[in-house]
Amino acid sequence: MKHTIDIIHEGRTITLEAEHGSNLLEVLLAGNIEVDSPCGGNGKCGKCRVRIEAPEAAAIDEIRILGKKDVDRGYRLACRTTVKNDMRIYPDNINHDARIVTKGKGRQINFAPSISKKHVVLDKPDLSRQEDDLTRLENTGLGKVKDLELLKKLPHILREADFDITVATFGEEIISVEKGDTSGKSYGIAVDIGTTTIAAYLYDLTTGNQMDVYSVLNAQRKYGADVLSRIDYCLKSRETRDEMHKTIISQINDIVRVFTKRNGIDPVNIYELAFAGNTTMIHFLLNLPTFNIAVAPFIPASTALFKVKAGHLGIKVNDGAYVVVLPCVSAYIGADTVAAVLSSNMYMDDGCFLLIDIGTNGEIVLGGREWLYACSTAAGPAFEGANIRNGTGGISGAIDKVYYDNGLKYTTIGKANPIGICGSGIVDSIAVMLEHKAIDETGRIAGPDEMENMPDHLRERIINIDGMRAFVIEHESSASGGVIAITQKDIREVQNAKAAIAAGIKVLAQKAGIGFGDIKKVYLAGGFGSHIDVDSAVNIGLIPFELRDRTESIGNAAGQGVIEGLTCSEILEHAERVKTKIQYIELSADPGFSDYYVDSMFFDVETKY
């Protein structure tokens, strides 16, 4: 039996069909309705809430997560809802445009891509010159044919072109032979696969010019907000692992279609795709098993710089095109970190530098030309808005800046009505709360007897929500369906995340035998690092106080690094050297990490205010 589901959102109706007994979240995701589900549909995060007309009785866990008020208004968790009849539903937030950072800090490098194309006219065979077609081609000195499929097509191509051809090479390998002069048509795509977002860049490989940029939310989010949730999903069966792989390949093919359509190019003229991403994302891309990444001693299938034909992965470009994957360092220091180290140039500079990439995970690299230490912190996705009551990603309507100016004020992305609060706004909010004594050094929200010296307009913002203290940012948001607030639980989530980052920095400094005064520059990489207010980050203890004036945002450093790998083959050699140079520190095995972590949970109020 099939049922009709009408999804009403922003004045329009989308209708889906669903089998009786199916899961509503799975139905919505299969219908390309992008409902947030950071916990992977496990009924823990509460982000997949939808309002249902005439809903069935709520389960106990739905009441606990959503609150009785919202349950009475008809809200339910899509992941806990079984389709038993026709339904009309109203999702809170779907298909929002995300604010994805694509620009990175560039540096001067040589333009020398692995791809080269040359127009040649071969001598035609006759009775006096009977070389085989392969020898005739390879005698040009342009390279060798290694692909049997290309060899099968070669006789036809040569004769159809009357031996007037263009040869495309990848390094010393001939990867394509084309009719006529196509030497001016050579393109490549660099891709940074983030856990939450994907950024892609189209390049003309004959000129080195960037032609286009495209960014999109990672469709694998529907399997969970973090890598461990997605690994758990892959462990269910070989089919679920293949599904994860096919999801990212489908998005890559979508990106190819966008680029070719917008720029009027043929996908057969795309000869290389270069990729960076964390180690798990790279495993999903290559369809490698990930189960050992999630358990000690955390061993990936591979961390090598990898080259494979695009067609073997199902990417629809030139048949001979290559996929180049930058190397990883360990299970939790991936190709994205190697790419960020490359583009920051810290591996070439004298002195000591600190690179921090705060995303769904937190990667930290300390060092310079002589040495590099790195660690990954289990910071959790709090700074991405996950596990936060009103948290959201960097999308239209997200509160991205909170400040005090004769009252609490905020801005939203796109100047839209507020729907929630993203990472930068969360950090700002806690910094404001600290400054005005709404929370103490332990992170506890002030009680009634502790608010005497607070202005009335701030005192009234401290209320009880869901059985706990909370600080209201927006009293009534029609877009979010109610109050937008930072709860006591949210503050603990941020304390855990910032303590993990801060403790990781201290461990690396201790391993290197340096003090914070020895660090010349701090580079903040990634989307969160690009939008965070440095003073707020310092004031909550995320960044050491001593480094306040030495901190610089370098945008999507991973994206910039993978662009370098696409446009300069020499950078691939640099990437392998960086991989070898980085000494990975496993924080769970470091005896000092726990003490640093506990100390970093506190807010050092007296130092900052």
Side-chain angles (χ1 to χ4, degrees):
M1 180 189 303
K2 289 185 180 291
H3 298 295
T4 297
I5 300 178
D6 290 328
I7 303 108
I8 294 89
H9 182 67
E10 295 182 347
R12 64 191 184 103
T13 301
I14 302 170
T15 301
L16 300 176
E17 282 193 342
E19 294 287 343
H20 183 82
S22 55
N23 177 273
L24 179 58
L25 178 61
E26 293 178 0
V27 171
L28 294 174
L29 294 176
N32 293 318
I33 306 299
E34 290 284 345
V35 178
D36 268 350
S37 53
C39 70
N42 290 314
K44 297 178 180 178
C45 67
K47 297 297 176 65
C48 67
R49 71 179 211 157
V50 295
R51 186 164 61 84
I52 303 175
E53 286 189 4
E56 294 196 356
I60 293 175
D61 60 348
E62 287 184 293
I63 297 173
R64 176 179 54 81
I65 292 172
L66 294 172
K68 188 175 185 305
K69 179 181 176 182
D70 278 351
V71 166
D72 291 343
R73 293 166 62 192
Y75 280 96
R76 298 292 186 271
L77 297 178
C79 69
R80 287 291 179 265
T81 300
T82 301
V83 177
K84 298 180 179 178
N85 45 47
D86 293 347
M87 304 173 72
R88 287 175 64 84
I89 67 170
Y90 303 80
D92 272 6
N93 305 303
I94 62 173
N95 293 330
H96 283 279
D97 293 329
R99 180 178 65 179
I100 300 172
V101 174
T102 57
K103 189 176 178 62
K105 176 187 175 183
R107 60 174 181 153
Q108 287 295 117
I109 61 169
N110 294 325
F111 175 64
S114 300
I115 298 296
S116 178
K117 291 186 76 176
K118 186 172 182 180
H119 173 235
V120 295
V121 179
L122 302 181
D123 291 335
K124 296 177 184 178
D126 55 35
L127 291 175
S128 64
R129 294 193 60 188
Q130 291 187 315
E131 299 109 328
D132 60 80
D133 291 333
L134 178 61
T135 300
R136 192 175 302 273
L137 174 64
E138 293 183 343
N139 279 345
T140 62
L142 296 175
K144 299 291 184 181
V145 173
K146 300 179 181 179
D147 187 346
L148 179 60
E149 295 305 313
L150 176 57
L151 181 56
K152 289 177 181 179
K153 295 183 289 186
L154 182 61
H156 174 73
I157 295 171
L158 292 180
R159 283 153 185 84
E160 184 183 46
D162 198 25
F163 293 86
D164 182 348
I165 58 171
T166 298
V167 179
T169 57
F170 177 81
E172 297 181 353
E173 178 184 354
I174 295 174
I175 61 173
S176 183
V177 179
E178 299 161 7
K179 179 181 178 181
D181 185 357
T182 63
S183 57
K185 299 177 181 179
S186 181
Y187 309 102
I189 299 174
V191 187
D192 170 29
I193 306 176
T195 307
T196 305
T197 61
I198 299 172
Y201 312 80
L202 175 66
Y203 272 79
D204 185 329
L205 296 182
T206 64
T207 65
N209 293 332
Q210 185 180 98
M211 299 178 63
D212 206 348
V213 180
Y214 181 67
S215 58
V216 65
L217 292 170
N218 189 330
Q220 294 170 331
R221 292 178 307 124
K222 63 187 177 184
Y223 305 111
D226 54 59
V227 296
L228 294 180
S229 298
R230 297 181 200 176
I231 290 173
D232 285 343
Y233 184 82
C234 290
L235 291 178
K236 294 179 180 179
S237 67
R238 176 56 193 261
E239 288 71 26
T240 56
R241 189 182 109 189
D242 289 344
E243 182 182 348
M244 189 73 73
H245 167 69
K246 289 175 182 176
T247 297
I248 190 61
I249 295 301
S250 177
Q251 280 204 286
I252 299 305
N253 283 326
D254 286 344
I255 289 168
V256 170
R257 281 191 288 271
V258 168
F259 280 157
T260 54
K261 183 176 180 180
R262 290 202 309 210
N263 296 278
I265 65 177
D266 193 319
V268 301
N269 294 132
I270 297 174
Y271 301 96
E272 183 181 352
L273 297 97
F275 287 89
N278 67 50
T279 308
T280 302
M281 294 301 109
I282 295 302
H283 277 52
F284 291 155
L285 173 70
L286 299 176
N287 204 13
L288 300 175
T290 54
F291 54 87
N292 287 321
I293 291 177
V295 295
F298 315 115
I299 305 301
S302 171
T303 59
L305 187 149
F306 206 78
K307 300 175 184 178
V308 62
K309 287 294 180 76
H312 292 171
L313 297 177
I315 299 174
K316 298 175 181 178
V317 288
N318 187 282
D319 289 342
Y322 266 93
V323 162
V324 177
V325 178
L326 268 61
C328 303
V329 175
S330 67
Y332 293 104
I333 296 293
D336 50 353
T337 302
V338 171
V341 170
L342 288 170
S343 66
S344 73
N345 206 59
M346 62 186 292
Y347 73 106
M348 296 285 282
D349 288 338
D350 292 322
C352 183
F353 301 83
L354 178 65
L355 172 70
I356 310 173
D357 189 343
I358 306 171
T360 311
N361 293 308
E363 291 84 32
I364 307 166
V365 183
L366 179 70
R369 182 192 296 272
E370 299 300 323
W371 50 267
L372 292 166
Y373 287 102
C375 68
S376 177
T377 62
F383 293 128
E384 299 280 336
N387 300 337
I388 302 295
R389 181 185 186 272
N390 293 115
T392 185
I395 61 178
S396 178
I399 294 173
D400 62 337
K401 183 175 179 59
V402 179
Y403 58 100
Y404 187 87
D405 184 8
N406 295 319
L408 191 74
K409 298 180 181 179
Y410 64 79
T411 62
T412 64
I413 296 175
K415 299 182 179 179
N417 290 330
I419 62 167
I421 186 163
C422 66
S424 58
I426 293 166
V427 172
D428 283 347
S429 298
I430 294 177
V432 169
M433 294 170 73
L434 278 168
E435 183 177 3
H436 294 278
K437 313 299 183 186
I439 53 178
D440 63 16
E441 68 277 3
T442 70
R444 185 176 60 86
I445 297 179
D449 58 342
E450 299 168 303
M451 298 189 290
E452 294 181 1
N453 297 323
M454 291 176 59
D456 290 343
H457 56 269
L458 288 182
R459 189 184 305 120
E460 67 185 15
R461 291 181 179 273
I462 298 179
I463 63 173
N464 286 325
I465 296 178
D466 303 335
M468 71 184 85
R469 304 287 279 171
F471 185 82
V472 175
I473 306 300
E474 171 56 54
H475 286 286
E476 190 66 34
S477 168
S478 58
S480 70
V483 167
I484 296 176
I486 301 292
T487 69
Q488 185 67 73
K489 176 180 175 295
D490 295 339
I491 292 171
R492 297 305 183 211
E493 291 281 350
V494 173
Q495 282 182 279
N496 283 322
K498 74 101 175 177
I501 298 290
I505 295 171
K506 292 173 182 176
V507 167
L508 294 190
Q510 186 268 329
K511 288 289 183 186
I514 66 164
F516 293 144
D518 297 316
I519 298 174
K520 294 175 66 174
K521 181 77 76 172
V522 179
Y523 297 122
L524 292 181
F528 177 71
S530 296
H531 296 117
I532 192 174
D533 182 274
V534 172
D535 285 338
S536 293
V538 168
N539 291 341
I540 73 166
L542 178 61
I543 297 172
F545 180 75
E546 298 90 333
L547 302 176
R548 181 194 296 266
D549 298 325
R550 283 173 267 165
T551 300
E552 173 188 350
S553 172
I554 58 173
N556 189 344
Q560 189 65 35
V562 76
I563 287 170
E564 292 183 3
L566 174 72
T567 57
C568 180
S569 59
E570 183 183 357
I571 294 299
L572 300 179
E573 299 174 12
H574 289 210
E576 295 200 281
R577 290 206 299 269
V578 167
K579 166 194 167 67
T580 303
K581 182 184 291 186
I582 289 177
Q583 183 177 341
Y584 174 64
I585 306 299
E586 175 56 54
L587 294 180
S588 63
D590 187 275
F593 176 72
S594 295
D595 290 340
Y596 286 138
Y597 178 84
V598 171
D599 289 344
S600 299
M601 283 285 289
F602 290 90
F603 297 112
D604 190 359
V605 180
E606 297 303 320
T607 301
K608 311 301 185 304
Y609 300 106

